[in-house]
């Protein structure tokens, strides 16, 4: 076999979905090389194998073999780049013994795989950009990534987890970019698992996380294909689980959960603005109601005189202290949200709108709460929805309650103590062994260009340093030279 072709196929065969098969026809050895996640298997067996195996024509060379296959567009090629590119687009590379210096490229890509109607994103809705999400089939999910990343460097390493469920799991990474340390860490954690059934990616995420005693998600779980592509390009490693429409990616930071793919589909000024809105929403969601309790309980002197009158008037008939008043509304909002998530979509929308309006108005008229608190709680609930990742949104909802209790005990000091405890906890967390709040701690000034704001593409041409990628450079941005001087010279 040609040493170059042999080396290229051997490099590609590192991926778990790459198959090399040999069959004997009329005493001749035929070698097939292809990605099993990309080809149409029905066409492969019906239009390719069956015609070759049942033919009575003598096969001496590639031309004889090409004449037997009833598929158009078959090419004879010995070009390594063309072979590699065609394989990653769904072709089969067919060689015949002893003509190993070239082979046939037969295009039998499955064009319908991954394009079903039910693979649109539901929880991470996309306003701008692709709306394609993962499904419950592992092969389909690998196909979705293969179609969007045409490179033989994309590696899928398959494993089986669960003594009873035998769940197929694929580790995905880009060779030459992803640090092997992350791949080895994830592989070892999977191999160390001793479980009977893996129902979903959420369970697997908890089993392999660095710290199970934290409300913060340490691995990013998403149903969006474009988000996983972005993660792989940045040097992260991902997990695809058969039976789950969500993929897991890591190592990640706290700021990864506040980044949306739409930030990159918009101009960088608008993308930065909406990202800052999310950070503001997180602050309002966590601190809004606790600040209300602290101010009315201990620090009422900070209220402006113009606002003090309306607050007193709205609370004059409320028999409860601020703590019970806030807890009543917060728990009511959580009950409405939980009930809405368990009901059919149309019923849940009606419940959320009618229930919120009716209960809120009735609570104010019954003097169970004040108008101002109703506005603050509503804003806090709305602000929690600005977080792109649902699991981080749940964490933000949870953090309100301890801060509310601390505010009722010690006012502003209690809130500061709570925030210091949260910050200290975040500093101890790690994702696949990497610090969780980079670039704040450890401080990495170069990574600030794509954390709090989304800088222009000319400033984000390098990958994040915290992932320790093997290749730090993503792309080169060549600015067009200003030709105004040339026109002036003319």
């Amino acid at each position: 076999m040609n040493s170059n072709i042999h080396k290229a196929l051997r490099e590609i065969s590192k991926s778990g979905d790459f198959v090399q098969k040999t069959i004997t026809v009329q005493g001749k050895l035929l070698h097939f090389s292809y990605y099993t996640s990309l080809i149409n298997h029905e066409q492969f067996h019906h239009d390719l194998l069956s015609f070759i195996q049942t033919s009575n024509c003598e096969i001496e060379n590639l031309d004889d073999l090409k004449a037997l296959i009833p598929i158009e567009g078959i090419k004879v090629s010995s070009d390594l780049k063309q072979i590699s590119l065609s394989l990653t687009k769904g072709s089969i590379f067919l060689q015949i013994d002893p003509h190993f210096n070239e082979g046939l490229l037969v295009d039998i890509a499955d064009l319908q795989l991954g394009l079903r109607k039910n693979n649109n994103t539901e929880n991470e809705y996309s306003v701008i950009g692709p709306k394609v999400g993962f499904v419950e089939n592992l092969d389909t999910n690998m196909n979705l990534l293969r179609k969007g990343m045409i490179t033989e460097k994309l590696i899928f390493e398959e494993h089986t987890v669960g003594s009873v469920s035998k769940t197929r799991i694929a580790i995905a990474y880009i060779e030459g970019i992803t640090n092997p340390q992350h791949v080895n860490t994830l592989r070892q954690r999977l191999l160390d698992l001793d479980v009977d059934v893996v129902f979903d990616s959420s369970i697997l995420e908890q089993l392999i996380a660095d710290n199970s005693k934290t409300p913060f998600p340490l691995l990013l779980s998403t149903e969006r294909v474009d988000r996983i592509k972005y993660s792989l390009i940045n040097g992260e490693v991902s997990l695809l689980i058969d039976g789950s429409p969500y993929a897991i990616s890591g190592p990640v930071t706290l700021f990864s959960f506040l980044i949306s793919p739409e930030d990159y589909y918009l101009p960088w000024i608008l993308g930065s603005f909406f990202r800052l809105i999310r950070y503001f929403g997180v602050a309002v969601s966590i601190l809004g109601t606790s600040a209300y309790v602290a101010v009315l309980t201990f620090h009422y002197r900070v209220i402006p005189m113009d606002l003090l009158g309306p607050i007193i008037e709205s609370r004059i008939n409320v028999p409860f202290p601020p703590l019970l008043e806030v807890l009543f509304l917060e728990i009511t909002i959580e009950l409405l949200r939980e009930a809405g998530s368990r009901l059919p979509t149309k019923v849940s929308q009606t419940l959320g709108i009618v229930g919120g309006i009716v209960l809120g108005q009735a609570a104010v008229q019954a003097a169970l709460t004040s108008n101002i608190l109703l506005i603050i709680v509503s804003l806090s609930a709305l602000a929690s929805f600005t977080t792109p990742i649902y699991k981080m949104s749940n964490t933000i909802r949870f953090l309100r309650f301890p801060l509310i209790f601390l505010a009722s005990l010690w006012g502003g000091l209690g809130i500061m103590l709570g925030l210091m405890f949260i910050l200290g906890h975040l500093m101890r967390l790690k994702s696949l062994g990497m610090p969780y709040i980079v670039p704040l701690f450890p401080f990495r000034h170069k990574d600030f260009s794509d954390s709090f704001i989304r800088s222009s593409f000319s400033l984000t041409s390098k990958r994040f340093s915290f992932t320790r990628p093997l290749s730090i450079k993503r792309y080169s941005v060549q600015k067009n030279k200003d030709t105004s001087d040339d026109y002036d010279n003319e």
Side-chain angles (χ1 to χ4, degrees):
M1 179 181 289
N2 184 288
S3 59
N4 291 330
I5 295 181
H6 176 72
K7 182 179 180 181
L9 294 178
R10 186 174 57 190
E11 289 294 326
I12 294 175
S13 64
K14 291 181 179 180
S15 184
D17 63 334
F18 186 79
V19 175
Q20 289 181 297
K21 180 185 295 185
T22 301
I23 65 172
T24 302
V25 177
Q26 300 179 11
K28 299 286 185 179
L29 293 178
L30 301 183
H31 300 270
F32 298 83
S33 302
Y34 57 93
Y35 284 102
T36 185
S37 61
L38 291 177
I39 68 167
N40 187 318
H41 290 269
E42 181 179 355
Q43 188 178 11
F44 173 61
H45 290 91
H46 183 268
D47 296 339
L48 191 61
L49 284 182
S50 62
F51 275 87
I52 294 176
Q53 293 175 333
T54 59
S55 174
N56 296 324
C57 299
E58 187 176 356
I59 302 175
E60 294 293 338
N61 50 43
L62 292 176
D63 293 332
D64 296 337
L65 191 59
K66 182 179 179 180
L68 294 177
I69 304 174
I71 298 176
E72 297 182 354
I74 300 177
K75 300 178 182 178
V76 179
S77 177
S78 60
D79 183 36
L80 295 176
K81 291 184 178 180
Q82 184 183 18
I83 294 171
S84 176
L85 182 62
S86 299
L87 286 173
T88 54
K89 288 186 176 182
S91 294
I92 284 184
F93 185 58
L94 176 56
Q95 296 173 290
I96 183 172
D97 189 16
H99 305 286
F100 287 123
N101 58 337
E102 58 183 356
L104 297 180
L105 287 173
V106 186
D107 185 6
I108 55 170
D110 192 344
L111 301 178
Q112 298 300 319
L113 187 62
L115 298 178
R116 302 183 315 188
K117 295 181 180 180
N118 64 341
N119 69 333
N120 290 337
T121 56
E122 296 182 2
N123 296 322
E124 298 177 64
Y125 183 76
S126 175
V127 180
I128 300 176
K131 295 176 174 58
V132 179
F134 291 111
V135 295
E136 287 79 5
N137 185 271
L138 179 61
D139 294 323
T140 301
N141 293 338
M142 289 193 294
N143 176 274
L144 290 171
L145 286 179
R146 282 278 180 209
K147 285 184 176 180
M149 308 179 75
I150 311 298
T151 173
E152 71 278 2
K153 298 297 183 181
L154 177 60
I155 305 298
F156 292 112
E157 181 182 313
E158 287 198 34
H159 296 271
T160 302
V161 176
S163 59
V164 175
S165 62
K166 306 294 184 184
T167 305
R168 293 173 59 209
I169 296 175
I171 300 176
Y173 63 95
I174 299 181
E175 189 179 33
I177 295 179
T178 307
N179 194 311
Q181 177 184 350
H182 304 323
V183 181
N184 294 334
T185 300
L186 196 57
R187 182 191 301 117
Q188 190 60 47
R189 292 183 184 182
L190 289 176
L191 294 177
D192 290 342
L193 287 180
D194 186 13
V195 294
D196 50 1
V197 176
V198 177
F199 294 100
D200 187 72
S201 61
S202 299
I203 296 178
L204 186 65
E205 178 185 349
Q206 298 176 56
L207 293 173
I208 63 177
D210 295 63
N211 188 346
S212 60
K213 300 177 180 179
T214 178
F216 291 91
L218 301 181
L219 295 171
L220 192 145
S221 179
T222 179
E223 61 178 343
R224 294 188 59 157
V225 177
D226 56 347
R227 187 183 284 274
I228 291 298
K229 291 178 186 176
Y230 178 75
S231 299
L232 292 172
I233 287 296
N234 278 315
E236 299 177 18
V237 57
S238 300
L239 274 181
L240 303 176
I241 298 92
D242 193 28
S244 175
Y246 284 83
I248 301 173
S249 183
V252 293
T253 68
L254 177 67
F255 307 103
S256 302
F257 297 91
L258 297 175
I259 295 176
S260 174
E262 281 88 350
D263 297 345
Y264 304 96
Y265 303 144
L266 295 170
W268 71 271
I269 296 178
L270 294 178
S272 298
F273 172 74
F274 292 127
R275 188 176 295 183
L276 291 175
I277 288 292
R278 294 188 205 107
Y279 284 105
F280 176 75
V282 171
V284 170
S285 181
I286 294 178
L287 300 175
T289 49
S290 59
Y292 175 86
V293 173
V295 168
L296 291 188
T297 306
F298 295 95
H299 313 295
Y300 53 86
R301 291 184 180 86
V302 304
I303 303 175
M305 292 300 297
D306 296 337
L307 187 59
L308 189 59
I311 291 179
I312 294 175
E313 184 179 351
S314 65
R315 282 190 46 81
I316 193 169
N317 295 321
V318 178
F320 305 116
L323 174 63
L324 295 181
E325 182 187 7
V326 167
L327 288 179
F328 170 75
L329 271 186
E330 285 285 2
I331 293 176
T332 301
I333 291 293
E334 293 301 323
L335 288 175
L336 284 172
R337 193 180 329 214
E338 278 299 306
S341 63
R342 301 291 181 267
L343 294 173
T345 304
K346 295 182 179 179
V347 179
S348 64
Q349 292 175 353
T350 305
L351 174 68
I353 297 174
V354 176
I357 295 175
V358 173
L359 288 177
Q361 187 66 27
V364 171
Q365 291 181 353
L368 297 177
T369 184
S370 63
N371 288 320
I372 294 180
L373 178 61
L374 186 62
I375 295 174
I376 294 175
V377 171
S378 300
L379 287 176
S380 298
L382 286 174
S384 66
F385 289 115
T386 61
T387 307
I389 302 299
Y390 177 73
K391 291 185 178 180
M392 182 56 72
S393 177
N394 290 339
T395 300
I396 293 171
R397 288 163 53 189
F398 167 78
L399 292 178
R400 285 189 214 144
F401 291 95
L403 290 178
I404 289 173
F405 284 107
L406 290 173
S408 68
L409 293 175
W410 300 305
L413 176 62
I415 295 177
M416 294 303 298
L417 290 175
L419 293 177
M420 290 177 61
F421 177 82
I422 293 173
L423 181 60
H425 178 68
L426 289 172
M427 294 174 66
R428 297 180 57 188
L429 294 179
K430 293 184 178 181
S431 175
L432 294 184
M434 298 292 106
Y436 191 60
I437 57 172
V438 174
L440 289 180
F441 177 80
F443 186 78
R444 298 286 186 270
H445 69 278
K446 294 182 179 179
D447 290 341
F448 273 92
S449 61
D450 196 14
S451 54
F452 292 100
I453 63 172
R454 198 227 102 182
S455 301
S456 63
F457 285 116
S458 61
L459 299 177
T460 58
S461 60
K462 294 183 179 179
R463 297 181 173 88
F464 295 114
S465 61
F466 78 90
T467 60
R468 299 178 182 176
L470 300 183
S471 175
I472 194 69
K473 191 174 183 180
R474 287 180 55 199
Y475 53 84
S476 297
V477 178
Q478 297 181 355
K479 296 182 179 180
N480 294 325
K481 296 181 179 180
D482 188 5
T483 59
S484 60
D485 294 338
D486 298 335
Y487 289 111
D488 293 337
N489 293 334
E490 292 180 0

